[in-house]
């Protein structure tokens, strides 16, 4: 406990803390000025602007729903033919471009963590399909030039 008090005392008496404390009135004045300036801002036709923002957010939700539908195996498997160039993203990581070698349905689907049975009814449809892709995951020194 005594060491903590010594550290607080040292911090309070440090030159950097002194500088920050000295700037507080200036920062408070700047905050007050900016709050007054923000209060004076008038948005012409504010309901229309709010409606536009709501429509923009709804469009973003709809775009994500369309993308989710497009990525379902039923919608995209017929396009994943050998030689097709695809962009690979997995787990939030972008792996770049690759060439499809083979697209197939797995015979033995991977186990679901925490599931008692290996029934395909418990699995996500996407986990039943595999895609073999040829990719350059580490560029050669010549490619960097």
């Amino acid at each position: 406990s005594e060491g903590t008090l010594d550290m607080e005392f040292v911090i309070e008496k440090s030159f950097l803390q002194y500088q920050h404390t000295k700037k507080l009135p200036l920062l408070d004045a700047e905050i007050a000025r900016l709050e007054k300036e923000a209060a004076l801002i008038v948005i012409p036709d504010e309901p229309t602007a709010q409606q536009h923002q709501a429509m923009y957010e709804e469009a973003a939700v709809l775009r994500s729903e369309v993308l989710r539908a497009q990525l379902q195996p039923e919608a995209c498997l017929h396009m994943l033919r050998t030689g097709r160039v695809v962009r690979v993203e997995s787990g939030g990581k972008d792996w770049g471009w690759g060439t499809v070698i083979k697209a197939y349905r797995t015979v033995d689907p991977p186990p679901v963590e925490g599931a008692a049975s290996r029934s395909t009814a418990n699995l996500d449809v996407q986990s039943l399909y595999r895609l073999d892709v040829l990719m350059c995951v580490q560029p050669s020194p010549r490619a960097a030039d």
Side-chain angles (χ1 to χ4, degrees):
S1 166
E2 191 174 308
T4 306
L5 293 176
D6 291 339
M7 286 301 292
E8 288 175 6
F9 177 78
V10 170
I11 291 171
E12 286 177 8
K13 299 301 179 189
S14 74
F15 184 67
L16 184 62
Q17 182 66 27
Y18 167 76
Q19 288 176 325
H20 287 303
T21 305
K22 191 171 182 177
K23 287 183 183 178
L24 277 178
L26 296 172
L27 292 173
D28 288 338
E30 180 71 10
I31 289 171
R33 184 188 68 77
L34 290 172
E35 285 176 345
K36 286 179 185 176
E37 189 177 311
L40 296 175
I41 295 174
V42 177
I43 300 173
D45 203 13
E46 189 170 350
T48 303
Q50 289 174 342
Q51 183 182 16
H52 174 74
Q53 180 64 28
M55 290 171 64
Y56 181 79
E57 291 169 0
E58 183 180 354
V61 168
L62 293 174
R63 273 193 293 280
S64 70
E65 288 177 11
V66 166
L67 180 62
R68 195 174 314 118
Q70 288 174 338
L71 293 177
Q72 292 299 313
E74 304 84 36
C76 66
L77 274 176
H78 68 280
M79 292 184 279
L80 298 174
R81 304 281 182 223
T82 301
R84 171 80 64 161
V85 176
V86 293
R87 185 81 179 193
V88 179
E89 295 178 11
S90 176
K93 183 170 181 169
D94 185 358
W95 292 91
W97 293 98
T99 304
V100 174
I101 302 300
K102 184 178 177 184
Y104 56 96
R105 183 182 172 117
T106 58
V107 177
D108 189 24
V112 177
E113 289 185 29
S117 73
R118 291 180 56 97
S119 167
T120 56
N122 294 337
L123 294 173
D124 180 21
V125 176
Q126 292 177 348
S127 66
L128 296 175
Y129 294 92
R130 294 286 181 257
L131 191 62
D132 292 341
V133 179
L134 179 64
M135 299 186 66
C136 179
V137 292
Q138 184 174 359
S140 65
R142 289 184 187 172
D145 293 343

